[in-house]
Amino acid sequence: MKVIVVGAGVVGTMHAWHAVERGHEVVHIEREAEARGASLRNFGQIWVSGRAGGEELDTALRARELWEGIGARVPGLGFRAIGSLTPVRNELELAVAEAAVARPDAAARGYKLLTADEARAVNPALRGPFEAALWCERDAAVEPRLAQLALREALLATGKYTFLPNREVRDVVGANSNGHSAVRDDRGETHTGDAVVLCTGAWLSGLVRELAGEIPVRRVRLQMMQTAPLGEPLTTSVADADSFRYYPAYASPALDALNAGQAQDPTAAAHKMQLLMVQRLDGGLTIGDTHEYEHPFAFDTLEDPYEHLTRVVESLLGRPLPKVRRRWAGVYAQCVDTSRVVHRQRVRDGVWLVTGPGGRGMTCSPAIAETTANELGW
């Protein structure tokens, strides 16, 4: 079988990976020299802790297993099974963490409530004041700026994979009488295969709209930053209690009490913020983020969110933040149908669109691609 994959972000690359793993030939088409979207502009977190129970958690746990296996074979991914800590500072926040630990799926997530001293034993860099911390053993990390490159290098070594950058797909033709589908790129070349998978990320207009019409997927904009090396290990990913307000796993009467009894910082509320933080292999910290849903998105970044994140991080670390070296904005596609992990749609015979994993893309992409492969009978 020959599979045409359009889009070289993490979702597209994982579809290519699964196709090659199952013995198929892959032609992988990317409209830029290499992916430049949300797949690079994220934390690189394999984030199990906050996922909704049921299919979303099952997908994240399967993806976590796949990431670890692929990481063992492709060291350039930078896979690290580091877990995460969410420090809490008062009784309201502690009650939300206690409710999370009481969930029936808490063991699958690796949840455990730690005292402040126990949390500092796990992550000594957390020297600021807090009362306790929610530990999630199943969380992990990879290097987002390196992952697709490392996967592509491994795919190229198989001899079953062809990468065609700087080509924008202009037309898609469904399966003909021989069962072959095809795409035509902006160089006028036609690529024929037994299946076509469109993994277009936040590119939802143009050809995607022509093929799929209006789909239940929205675009979300975020702001993030990265610092110079911290000078010491940050041994886990770190979140703050605002993440309780954002992730569905923490929904509970305790969260309702937190929302009613503890107002979110005005800047965090205005920009729908949480703190997530992970250390890169070079020692720097990736820190974020904001969420913007209303179009048109701003074309510039705002300083208030960065100042808020700096204050929160410094309070947890108990020390000044290293110099910020990079700031950026990113846009990702999010399926608004909460019953789905991703929007997967057959748009022509033999042609599938897979998009909208939202903030779950880096976490869930190996399992999303595996499900596609299974459903298409690869």
Side-chain angles (χ1 to χ4, degrees):
M1 176 183 282
K2 183 177 182 181
V3 179
I4 311 298
V5 178
V6 178
V10 68
V11 174
T13 302
M14 282 297 179
H15 278 81
W17 177 271
H18 279 287
V20 169
E21 282 288 284
R22 297 179 185 210
H24 307 310
E25 180 184 353
V26 171
V27 174
H28 200 178
I29 303 173
E30 165 58 38
R31 63 178 177 163
E32 300 192 65
E34 58 187 57
R36 280 288 182 268
S39 296
L40 276 73
R41 306 182 197 192
N42 67 76
F43 297 95
Q45 288 175 312
I46 315 307
W47 196 246
V48 173
S49 49
R51 301 300 168 205
E55 181 185 358
E56 184 175 326
L57 176 60
D58 292 344
T59 302
L61 288 169
R62 174 57 179 158
R64 167 65 171 77
E65 179 183 1
L66 290 168
W67 271 118
E68 185 164 11
I70 298 170
R73 295 169 55 188
V74 187
L77 293 177
F79 177 85
R80 292 150 358 247
I82 56 176
S84 73
L85 287 170
T86 304
V88 297
R89 290 173 160 163
N90 56 51
E91 291 300 319
L92 287 172
E93 295 176 359
L94 177 61
V96 180
E98 289 173 336
V101 172
R103 290 180 58 101
D105 56 18
R109 300 171 189 267
Y111 277 162
K112 187 178 181 182
L113 191 60
L114 305 182
T115 67
D117 287 343
E118 289 171 336
R120 291 190 184 98
V122 174
N123 191 339
L126 297 176
R127 298 186 182 92
F130 57 93
E131 297 298 318
L134 179 63
W135 163 248
C136 182
E137 183 269 338
R138 297 302 291 159
D139 289 337
V142 296
E143 292 299 294
R145 293 172 184 253
L146 303 177
Q148 281 77 248
L149 300 177
L151 287 168
R152 189 189 311 153
E153 183 177 351
L155 286 166
L156 287 168
T158 68
K160 294 180 177 293
Y161 174 84
T162 301
F163 182 60
L164 300 177
N166 298 308
R167 296 170 185 250
E168 184 170 320
V169 171
R170 293 292 179 83
D171 193 21
V172 176
V173 179
N176 59 22
S177 59
N178 294 321
H180 294 151
S181 305
V183 302
R184 179 178 59 81
D185 65 31
D186 58 358
R187 301 188 184 195
E189 296 183 20
T190 298
H191 310 275
T192 302
D194 300 284
V196 174
V197 183
L198 306 173
C199 301
T200 57
W203 177 42
L204 302 173
S205 59
L207 180 63
V208 173
R209 184 176 292 128
E210 291 176 13
L211 291 169
E214 296 300 323
I215 58 177
V217 177
R218 66 179 175 181
R219 300 169 78 237
V220 182
R221 183 180 186 267
L222 54 80
Q223 288 186 201
M224 296 174 61
M225 63 183 180
Q226 190 166 324
T227 73
L230 181 63
E232 62 179 320
L234 186 77
T235 55
T236 72
S237 294
V238 177
D240 74 345
D242 277 342
S243 67
F244 292 156
R245 308 176 195 264
Y246 183 75
Y247 285 107
Y250 305 118
S252 66
L255 178 62
D256 296 338
L258 173 66
N259 288 328
Q262 179 174 306
Q264 192 175 18
D265 177 275
T267 298
H271 298 282
K272 300 176 179 62
M273 297 180 68
Q274 61 176 341
L275 169 70
L276 295 178
M277 176 169 61
V278 63
Q279 191 169 45
R280 302 270 65 90
L281 290 177
D282 69 358
L285 304 176
T286 299
I287 301 169
D289 61 351
T290 64
H291 300 88
E292 184 179 354
Y293 303 102
E294 299 299 323
H295 292 237
F297 293 142
F299 60 83
D300 47 7
T301 58
L302 300 175
E303 279 302 300
D304 285 354
Y306 291 122
E307 291 172 359
H308 168 77
L309 289 169
T310 298
R311 290 193 298 271
V312 174
V313 171
E314 290 183 344
S315 70
L316 291 173
L317 296 179
R319 53 165 284 184
L321 191 67
K323 180 180 179 180
V324 175
R325 285 185 169 174
R326 301 184 180 96
R327 306 175 193 267
W328 67 89
V331 176
Y332 61 78
Q334 180 185 62
C335 184
V336 297
D337 181 349
T338 57
S339 69
R340 308 187 203 179
V341 174
V342 71
H343 180 76
R344 187 182 288 106
Q345 177 182 349
R346 185 171 67 90
V347 295
R348 295 285 188 275
D349 288 343
V351 182
W352 290 78
L353 171 68
V354 183
T355 187
R360 302 170 293 211
M362 206 67 181
T363 295
C364 293
S365 56
I368 288 170
E370 181 182 60
T371 298
T372 302
N374 290 340
E375 290 187 359
L376 272 61
W378 293 357

